[in-house]
Amino acid sequence: MAEKSLTSVSILIVEDEVLIALDLSHTFRAAGAEIVGPAGTADDALTLLSERQIDAAVVDVNLGEGDSLPIVHALARTGIPFLYYTGHEAPASLGWPRAKVIKKPALPSALVAAVSELLPSSDTDD
Amino acid sequence: MVVNTFPSPTNLDFTFELLTASDPRLCLLLDGDGIIVSANAAACRALPKAISGMRLAELGSDAGELEAYLRRCAATRSPVPGLIHLIADDGSVKPFSAHGGLIERSPGGARLIVIRLQQADLGKSVFTDISHKFEALGNELAWRKRSERIAGHLAAIVSSSTDAIYSKDLQNIVRSWNRGAERLFGYTAQEIIGQSILCLIPLEKREEERQLIQRLKAGELVEPIESLRQAKDGRLIETSITSSLIRNSAGEPMGISGIVRDITARKKTERALQSAHDSFRQVVENSPFGVFTVDADFRIAQVSAGAQNAFANVRPLIGRDFAEALRIVWPEPAASEFIGHFRRTLTTGEPYHDPTTVGRRYDTQEVEAYDWKIERMILPDGRPGVVCHYYDLTERLLYEAELRRSEQRFRGTFENASVGIAHIGVDGEWREFNDRLCQILGFARDDLSARSFASLHTPDGNDAHEAEVAKLTQGDGDSYQYETQLARQDGSGIWVSINIGVQQNEEGDPDYLIYVLRDISERKAAQEHQKMLMRELSHRSKNQLAVIQAIANQTLRSSESLDGFGERFTQRLNSLAVSLNLLVDGKWNGVDLAELIEKQLAGFMSSDEGGIWCEGPPVTVSDVAAEAIGLALHELSTNCAKYGAWSVPSGSVIVTWNIDSGMNDELRLVLSWVEQNGPPVQEPRHSGFGRFVIEKMVEQKLRAEVELRYPTTGVTWTLSAALRSVAG
């Protein structure tokens, strides 16, 4: 069911923890999605955002020495749906765009379901 | 009391108050500028204007005189006697004998002057007044007695005597009555002759009269008696009555004659003299300071309460020969010298004053010091004697020494305290503060003086504390404690704990607040660090779980069986745990690279030590680097044991690392893994999770350059990363 729902959907993964990023890639690829990234920094992610067509994004909050604020702003501005996948509590500070928060660790199926909910229902019927 | 680490508030003012509270003398504590710092109860009573903060000179009738005296006091430690004039509450100018001396808050510290005042003419004026009264009354009495005598003589000659003369028969019937009797009693001769004389005798005096008549009848010669008689108008008259028996020619008693003299005026004089005696005795005996009198026979006549101590070993005391008494108390030649002064004053009337007599007593062997003065006066017995009044300077010297000691103790504690201490008035003004407070707040002493303590608080969040402190200044509560951040002079903040206690004044009202400040910035920093660690730990553990989840998923993908998965997964988990343990041991401050390598490889080594060669300088790597390098070494080791050098007994691995200068002088850590003497190597056909870890993961996590090669002689792996991205 999850595999069907994300077919041909391009998902940007922003995650600095390489192994987690690898695992997320596998998870979404297995669900039929096309992976953009993973990006370990906000800069890398912004570059990918400008170069590639992206349907949805999964974004970690803390990225090593920085955070993902620039990229989530860019996503919010361009109307690309995204969710936070983080070990932190929800980014509570002002200035963080509101979005669904999935707490680490999460089941692959839950992640796939959460991302598919971000997408317009017409796009998921395939 | 919260301020339990603060020494009891023994500062100078407090000690002064303690020592002078019950002193009958007026005791003032002045600062170097002559400002009254403290005054005892006696001073407050006598000089209600002598309040703290007032300049002593303003209380005097002659500011110049006072200032000159204070200058003299400030110039020496030894007590300076002097006479100053102060304006009393009723506006009158009163002379005070003063003893002022300098004390210092600490050796070389602020100078203070302690002054004890005694109304200079208090003792003397009372004595002089009474002494004058004795003299006048004594003279009057002598004159009256003489007049009475002369009048008596005249009565015999002149019938118009001022004395009343009458005769009565044995039945008390008046037989004769002269003009004097008419004047004295108000009865005319016509009225009273033939009447009983008892109308003149008050009821309570009739028995006395009856006995007198008995004695006269018995032939006794009776001295004049003093008794009361009643005039016609009911007035009682003090009289002297001379009675004698009248006999007939046969010598038989037939009547009594009486000469009655009005002695009311004399009696009044006598009573006045008696009351003067009584008040003199009272003044002397109840005097809180030392007063005693020596009579004309050189015997001790009276001793004041305040002088009892000095003669504690002379018993009996009253009536004792003064020379004898002095020799009990003082050794020679001092005793003889004192006796000489007393005798001279008694003989010549010349007063004598010694402001500082210091000596060791003979009886107690104590060193005592006195300021004493002797004068000749008429004593209650009507004869000249010597009055001595003195101040015991010993007590003062002792308490001044005690004051100094106590102040030094206080200073020592105050100045050397490891906490900041400040005394702040209820008005919010500094009273004083110690150097430690300046250090904590990073202020120079003068700069701190120029600000108020309240102004050091940050504007936010201190309203509640302010309200509590205000309560203390209003006498509500006796302590308060809070923690806050204060602004240092350089603008930075410092966390302090503040304990406030209240010092009360004599009336029990808050006088000033005692602040004790502790620098708790380290504790606060530790608390902040702790919080950060907790947050970090929470984040890290969740992240770690996600990593483990990823490892599990990846291991599962490359496993052919569940057993194979179990073993590989456990090994990888173990590798993570090894790195984590080292991090925890090092309190998350990084891991020693050599130790990391040793621990990660330990599981793959046999007892044979020949399989590995490690060499490199001490390097501490960060938590992220420890995990990444740890996992990579684990994967390399696994492969090595399975297919590489360690799969044969002869094989070995050389692990070396170094810090190199790279481009732009950036320091880089270069770590290399070289397998040798193993079986010939072939590059694997597909790259699995292990290879991802060794290459991609390390590259990305450490922004490193990784080179993995498969020469036939053995696998080589080289990691080169900026030192700053891997160092702990």
XYZ file of all heavy atoms in Angstrom, chain B residues 84-153:
540
model
N 33.850 70.785 77.708
C 33.137 71.303 76.543
C 31.749 71.749 76.979
O 31.252 71.330 78.032
C 33.023 70.246 75.417
C 32.277 69.014 75.897
C 34.401 69.868 74.895
C 32.029 68.003 74.809
N 31.150 72.610 76.199
C 29.834 73.146 76.545
C 28.823 72.740 75.492
O 29.015 73.005 74.320
C 29.898 74.669 76.675
C 30.732 75.102 77.850
N 32.102 75.133 77.804
C 30.375 75.475 79.099
C 32.565 75.534 78.987
N 31.542 75.735 79.797
N 27.776 72.061 75.947
C 26.758 71.604 75.009
C 25.426 72.256 75.353
O 25.173 72.622 76.503
C 26.607 70.077 75.092
C 27.856 69.266 74.743
C 27.555 67.787 74.847
C 28.344 69.600 73.340
N 24.598 72.381 74.327
C 23.275 72.962 74.558
C 22.317 71.836 74.897
O 22.117 70.918 74.096
C 22.787 73.707 73.299
C 23.797 74.786 72.940
C 21.412 74.314 73.540
C 23.579 75.410 71.592
N 21.772 71.892 76.082
C 20.857 70.839 76.525
C 19.511 71.026 75.851
O 19.288 71.999 75.138
C 20.712 70.891 78.047
N 18.630 70.066 76.089
C 17.325 70.060 75.438
C 16.531 71.329 75.743
O 15.809 71.854 74.913
C 16.542 68.831 75.910
C 15.403 68.527 74.963
O 15.515 68.897 73.784
O 14.424 67.926 75.408
N 16.686 71.827 76.967
C 15.914 73.017 77.352
C 16.576 74.301 76.872
O 16.150 75.402 77.217
C 15.735 73.045 78.882
C 17.074 73.065 79.603
O 18.121 73.196 78.927
O 17.084 72.955 80.839
N 17.632 74.173 76.095
C 18.278 75.350 75.535
C 19.390 75.916 76.406
O 20.128 76.788 75.964
N 19.517 75.385 77.623
C 20.567 75.913 78.489
C 21.910 75.321 78.102
O 21.990 74.225 77.555
C 20.244 75.567 79.945
O 20.310 74.171 80.122
N 22.961 76.070 78.376
C 24.311 75.597 78.069
C 24.848 74.921 79.313
O 24.829 75.491 80.401
C 25.211 76.779 77.670
C 26.635 76.291 77.480
C 24.690 77.421 76.399
N 25.284 73.677 79.138
C 25.801 72.944 80.284
C 27.245 72.551 80.045
O 27.581 72.103 78.941
C 24.969 71.686 80.528
C 23.609 71.994 81.095
C 22.861 70.739 81.465
C 21.535 71.083 82.120
N 20.623 69.940 82.094
N 28.058 72.715 81.059
C 29.451 72.286 80.901
C 29.551 70.779 81.097
O 28.871 70.217 81.953
C 30.172 73.043 82.013
C 29.137 73.292 83.050
C 27.808 73.308 82.387
N 30.368 70.152 80.302
C 30.593 68.715 80.434
C 32.087 68.458 80.522
O 32.857 69.049 79.755
C 30.056 67.964 79.212
C 28.562 67.867 79.182
C 27.804 68.866 78.603
C 27.916 66.771 79.733
C 26.421 68.788 78.571
C 26.534 66.679 79.690
C 25.787 67.688 79.123
N 32.453 67.594 81.447
C 33.841 67.157 81.407
C 33.870 65.981 80.449
O 33.006 65.109 80.475
C 34.323 66.758 82.793
O 33.798 65.519 83.157
N 34.840 66.020 79.547
C 34.883 65.025 78.487
C 36.167 64.226 78.573
O 37.210 64.738 78.987
C 34.799 65.724 77.136
N 36.038 62.962 78.232
C 37.230 62.130 78.055
C 37.122 61.510 76.691
O 36.288 60.651 76.463
C 37.295 61.045 79.125
C 37.883 61.548 80.398
N 37.154 62.281 81.307
C 39.142 61.471 80.889
C 37.943 62.614 82.318
N 39.147 62.139 82.095
N 37.947 61.983 75.771
C 37.858 61.480 74.409
C 39.120 60.760 74.046
O 40.211 61.117 74.500
N 38.983 59.745 73.237
C 40.163 59.023 72.798
C 39.941 58.456 71.427
O 38.814 58.227 70.998
N 41.045 58.250 70.772
C 40.999 57.774 69.403
C 40.999 56.256 69.397
O 41.726 55.632 70.154
C 42.253 58.266 68.677
C 42.375 57.889 67.223
C 41.376 58.662 66.400
C 43.782 58.190 66.756
N 40.159 55.685 68.568
C 40.321 54.262 68.291
C 40.269 54.115 66.785
O 39.777 54.995 66.079
C 39.225 53.395 68.961
C 37.861 53.860 68.514
C 39.338 53.445 70.447
C 36.797 52.899 68.942
N 40.786 52.992 66.328
C 40.799 52.789 64.887
C 39.962 51.578 64.553
O 39.938 50.603 65.291
C 42.240 52.586 64.398
C 43.016 53.884 64.396
C 44.481 53.664 64.074
O 44.911 52.508 64.030
O 45.178 54.676 63.870
N 39.272 51.640 63.432
C 38.436 50.509 63.006
C 39.289 49.274 62.842
O 38.914 48.168 63.109
C 37.764 50.822 61.671
C 36.524 51.651 61.819
C 35.633 51.421 60.610
N 34.500 52.323 60.626
C 33.386 52.086 61.271
N 33.251 50.953 61.946
N 32.396 52.934 61.243
N 40.460 49.481 62.325
C 41.396 48.383 62.154
C 42.743 49.055 62.225
O 42.820 50.275 62.110
C 41.182 47.725 60.790
O 41.236 48.695 59.789
N 43.823 48.281 62.406
C 45.122 48.942 62.457
C 45.291 49.763 61.187
O 45.240 49.228 60.091
C 46.103 47.779 62.533
C 45.308 46.646 63.089
C 43.917 46.842 62.580
N 45.461 51.056 61.368
C 45.641 51.935 60.217
C 44.354 52.241 59.485
O 44.357 52.880 58.457
N 43.223 51.762 60.017
C 41.950 51.959 59.321
C 41.293 53.271 59.713
O 41.947 54.174 60.228
N 39.999 53.346 59.439
C 39.273 54.580 59.691
C 39.366 54.949 61.165
O 39.341 54.082 62.032
C 37.814 54.404 59.292
N 39.474 56.246 61.434
C 39.649 56.679 62.812
C 38.302 57.057 63.399
O 37.484 57.697 62.759
C 40.590 57.878 62.843
C 41.969 57.452 62.385
C 42.858 58.605 62.032
N 44.225 58.178 62.282
C 45.016 58.771 63.159
N 44.602 59.803 63.854
N 46.232 58.330 63.355
N 38.114 56.654 64.629
C 36.887 56.999 65.323
C 37.263 57.553 66.677
O 38.331 57.274 67.205
C 36.017 55.760 65.524
C 35.416 55.181 64.257
C 34.785 53.852 64.583
C 34.397 56.119 63.673
N 36.374 58.336 67.227
C 36.634 58.909 68.536
C 35.517 58.492 69.465
O 34.337 58.599 69.128
C 36.712 60.443 68.440
C 37.873 60.849 67.548
C 36.850 61.055 69.827
C 37.840 62.281 67.119
N 35.913 57.964 70.617
C 34.930 57.648 71.646
C 35.011 58.754 72.682
O 36.097 59.074 73.161
C 35.233 56.297 72.323
C 34.283 56.101 73.486
C 35.087 55.165 71.337
N 33.880 59.354 72.985
C 33.890 60.407 73.998
C 32.904 60.063 75.088
O 31.780 59.656 74.812
C 33.488 61.771 73.386
C 34.510 62.185 72.355
C 33.402 62.834 74.466
C 34.298 63.581 71.839
N 33.358 60.198 76.334
C 32.437 60.048 77.451
C 32.279 61.407 78.095
O 33.251 62.110 78.300
C 32.954 59.053 78.467
C 32.779 57.611 78.003
C 33.461 56.691 78.964
N 34.750 57.228 79.330
C 35.035 57.686 80.526
N 34.157 57.663 81.489
N 36.226 58.163 80.765
N 31.061 61.751 78.347
C 30.799 63.071 78.901
C 30.119 62.925 80.244
O 29.327 62.020 80.458
C 29.852 63.836 77.971
C 30.336 64.071 76.559
C 29.197 64.574 75.721
C 31.479 65.060 76.559
N 30.444 63.842 81.135
C 29.770 63.871 82.407
C 29.496 65.330 82.671
O 30.391 66.160 82.463
C 30.708 63.300 83.465
C 29.966 62.722 84.599
C 30.805 61.648 85.261
O 31.999 61.579 85.042
N 30.194 60.836 86.065
N 28.315 65.602 83.074
C 28.015 67.002 83.309
C 29.012 67.487 84.337
O 29.051 66.999 85.459
C 26.587 67.153 83.815
C 25.944 68.384 83.242
C 24.488 68.416 83.592
O 23.746 67.518 83.240
N 24.093 69.441 84.299
N 29.859 68.422 83.925
C 31.031 68.771 84.707
C 30.619 69.245 86.091
O 31.270 68.941 87.082
C 31.814 69.856 84.008
N 29.520 69.985 86.152
C 29.164 70.564 87.435
C 28.148 69.718 88.174
O 27.646 70.118 89.190
C 28.620 71.978 87.222
C 27.445 71.966 86.250
O 27.159 70.899 85.694
O 26.829 73.019 86.056
N 27.866 68.533 87.627
C 26.801 67.725 88.232
C 27.144 67.401 89.674
O 26.470 67.823 90.598
C 26.574 66.444 87.429
C 25.504 65.526 88.004
C 24.138 66.179 87.889
C 25.485 64.187 87.311
N 28.239 66.647 89.834
C 28.643 66.293 91.188
C 28.921 67.533 92.001
O 28.348 67.740 93.063
N 29.714 68.391 91.425
C 30.197 69.529 92.190
C 29.058 70.464 92.583
O 28.955 70.874 93.731
C 31.232 70.285 91.361
C 32.079 71.202 92.216
C 33.018 72.026 91.371
C 33.364 73.294 92.138
N 33.910 74.304 91.276
N 28.201 70.776 91.629
C 27.169 71.769 91.933
C 26.230 71.257 93.016
O 25.850 72.000 93.911
C 26.402 72.133 90.674
O 25.601 71.039 90.310
N 25.906 69.970 92.940
C 25.023 69.427 93.964
C 25.679 69.556 95.329
O 25.085 70.020 96.288
C 24.682 67.960 93.657
C 23.974 67.326 94.839
C 23.825 67.875 92.414
N 26.951 69.190 95.363
C 27.650 69.254 96.655
C 27.778 70.687 97.139
O 27.556 70.989 98.302
C 29.039 68.625 96.545
C 28.969 67.174 96.216
C 29.713 66.637 95.192
C 28.124 66.343 96.947
C 29.625 65.310 94.884
C 28.048 65.004 96.639
C 28.795 64.482 95.606
N 28.133 71.551 96.187
C 28.341 72.937 96.588
C 27.038 73.540 97.086
O 26.992 74.185 98.132
C 28.875 73.750 95.405
O 29.930 73.012 94.832
C 29.393 75.095 95.860
N 25.961 73.283 96.334
C 24.667 73.803 96.757
C 24.338 73.353 98.167
O 23.974 74.143 99.027
C 23.560 73.302 95.819
C 23.632 73.981 94.478
O 24.501 74.870 94.339
O 22.847 73.628 93.584
N 24.474 72.022 98.353
C 24.090 71.491 99.653
C 25.028 72.003 100.732
O 24.609 72.370 101.825
C 24.054 69.952 99.612
C 22.963 69.516 98.639
C 23.800 69.371 100.973
C 22.822 68.037 98.493
N 26.283 72.072 100.363
C 27.264 72.531 101.330
C 26.953 73.973 101.758
O 27.015 74.318 102.932
C 28.652 72.442 100.703
O 29.611 72.833 101.622
N 26.585 74.787 100.792
C 26.208 76.169 101.113
C 24.988 76.198 102.020
O 24.907 76.994 102.946
C 25.910 76.948 99.832
C 27.149 77.337 99.100
N 27.177 77.620 97.761
C 28.419 77.469 99.539
C 28.413 77.914 97.411
N 29.186 77.822 98.469
N 24.084 75.310 101.740
C 22.859 75.245 102.514
C 23.177 74.882 103.970
O 22.648 75.478 104.903
C 21.948 74.184 101.902
C 20.481 74.459 102.027
C 19.772 73.564 101.036
C 18.276 73.525 101.241
N 17.695 72.535 100.324
N 24.070 73.883 104.113
C 24.479 73.476 105.471
C 24.972 74.695 106.228
O 24.621 74.944 107.373
C 25.657 72.499 105.437
C 25.301 71.154 104.899
C 26.278 70.355 104.328
C 24.004 70.678 104.993
C 25.970 69.119 103.839
C 23.698 69.431 104.499
C 24.681 68.648 103.915
N 25.809 75.417 105.508
C 26.464 76.542 106.151
C 25.415 77.576 106.602
O 25.393 77.995 107.752
C 27.436 77.193 105.161
C 28.709 77.648 105.837
C 29.808 77.904 104.820
O 29.686 77.416 103.669
O 30.756 78.601 105.173
N 24.512 77.899 105.664
C 23.507 78.918 105.960
C 22.580 78.463 107.078
O 22.308 79.206 108.029
C 22.703 79.204 104.697
N 22.135 77.194 106.942
C 21.202 76.686 107.944
C 21.876 76.578 109.302
O 21.276 76.882 110.338
C 20.639 75.331 107.503
C 19.685 75.385 106.308
C 19.375 73.976 105.821
C 18.399 76.111 106.673
N 23.134 76.135 109.281
C 23.899 76.002 110.532
C 24.002 77.358 111.221
O 23.787 77.479 112.433
N 24.307 78.375 110.412
C 24.442 79.723 110.963
C 23.123 80.205 111.546
O 23.076 80.751 112.650
C 24.887 80.703 109.868
C 26.323 80.432 109.475
O 27.040 79.757 110.212
N 26.737 80.952 108.326
N 22.043 79.940 110.753
C 20.741 80.393 111.208
C 20.361 79.730 112.526
O 19.870 80.361 113.454
C 19.682 80.068 110.143
C 18.319 80.655 110.475
C 17.254 80.246 109.467
O 17.620 79.932 108.311
O 16.070 80.220 109.840
N 20.677 78.426 112.565
C 20.341 77.642 113.744
C 21.084 78.197 114.969
O 20.487 78.390 116.044
C 20.721 76.177 113.497
C 20.110 75.151 114.426
C 18.587 75.213 114.374
C 20.581 73.749 114.017
N 22.351 78.462 114.759
C 23.163 78.975 115.868
C 22.588 80.315 116.349
O 22.452 80.569 117.545
C 24.602 79.158 115.395
N 22.202 81.117 115.351
C 21.660 82.444 115.686
C 20.362 82.310 116.461
O 20.134 82.964 117.451
C 21.451 83.229 114.384
C 20.817 84.568 114.613
C 21.440 85.716 115.006
C 19.434 84.863 114.483
N 20.563 86.725 115.130
C 19.293 86.236 114.815
C 18.298 84.127 114.139
C 18.056 86.882 114.794
C 17.082 84.773 114.115
C 16.960 86.142 114.443
N 19.536 81.390 116.011
C 18.243 81.220 116.672
C 18.416 80.706 118.090
O 17.745 81.170 119.022
C 17.357 80.257 115.882
C 16.850 80.867 114.600
C 15.646 80.149 114.053
N 15.294 80.716 112.760
C 14.623 81.861 112.635
N 14.246 82.552 113.722
N 14.355 82.340 111.458
N 19.312 79.748 118.231
C 19.525 79.196 119.580
C 20.014 80.308 120.509
O 19.587 80.418 121.662
C 20.540 78.051 119.533
C 19.895 76.752 119.033
C 20.888 75.610 119.031
C 20.193 74.303 118.670
N 21.173 73.278 118.264
N 20.922 81.114 119.946
C 21.461 82.203 120.761
C 20.334 83.183 121.122
O 20.189 83.595 122.270
C 22.579 82.913 120.014
C 23.550 83.631 120.952
C 24.797 84.085 120.230
N 24.520 85.083 119.197
C 24.810 84.904 117.909
N 25.355 83.773 117.519
N 24.535 85.851 117.045
N 19.518 83.496 120.138
C 18.406 84.412 120.391
C 17.503 83.875 121.486
O 17.060 84.612 122.362
C 17.560 84.597 119.134
O 18.379 84.867 118.052
N 17.237 82.568 121.374
C 16.355 81.943 122.364
C 16.942 82.095 123.764
O 16.246 82.398 124.738
C 16.147 80.460 122.040
C 15.177 80.250 120.880
C 15.201 78.817 120.360
O 15.740 77.937 121.070
O 14.687 78.589 119.234
N 18.260 81.864 123.807
C 18.939 81.959 125.115
C 18.851 83.383 125.667
O 18.468 83.615 126.812
C 20.404 81.536 124.968
C 20.666 80.117 125.461
C 22.142 79.858 125.714
N 23.073 80.490 124.794
C 23.397 79.989 123.595
N 22.837 78.876 123.172
N 24.268 80.629 122.845
N 19.201 84.322 124.768
C 19.192 85.717 125.214
C 17.793 86.096 125.677
O 17.587 86.688 126.744
C 19.662 86.654 124.084
C 21.127 86.379 123.791
C 19.454 88.118 124.449
C 21.632 86.997 122.509
N 16.794 85.701 124.925
C 15.413 86.017 125.270
C 15.055 85.464 126.640
O 14.367 86.112 127.435
C 14.475 85.464 124.210
N 15.545 84.262 126.922
C 15.292 83.614 128.201
C 15.837 84.455 129.363
O 15.159 84.651 130.377
N 17.067 84.924 129.116
C 17.670 85.746 130.160
C 16.840 86.990 130.418
O 16.540 87.368 131.536
C 19.087 86.184 129.756
C 20.061 85.037 129.749
N 20.178 84.172 130.815
C 20.963 84.626 128.830
C 21.093 83.271 130.539
N 21.584 83.523 129.317
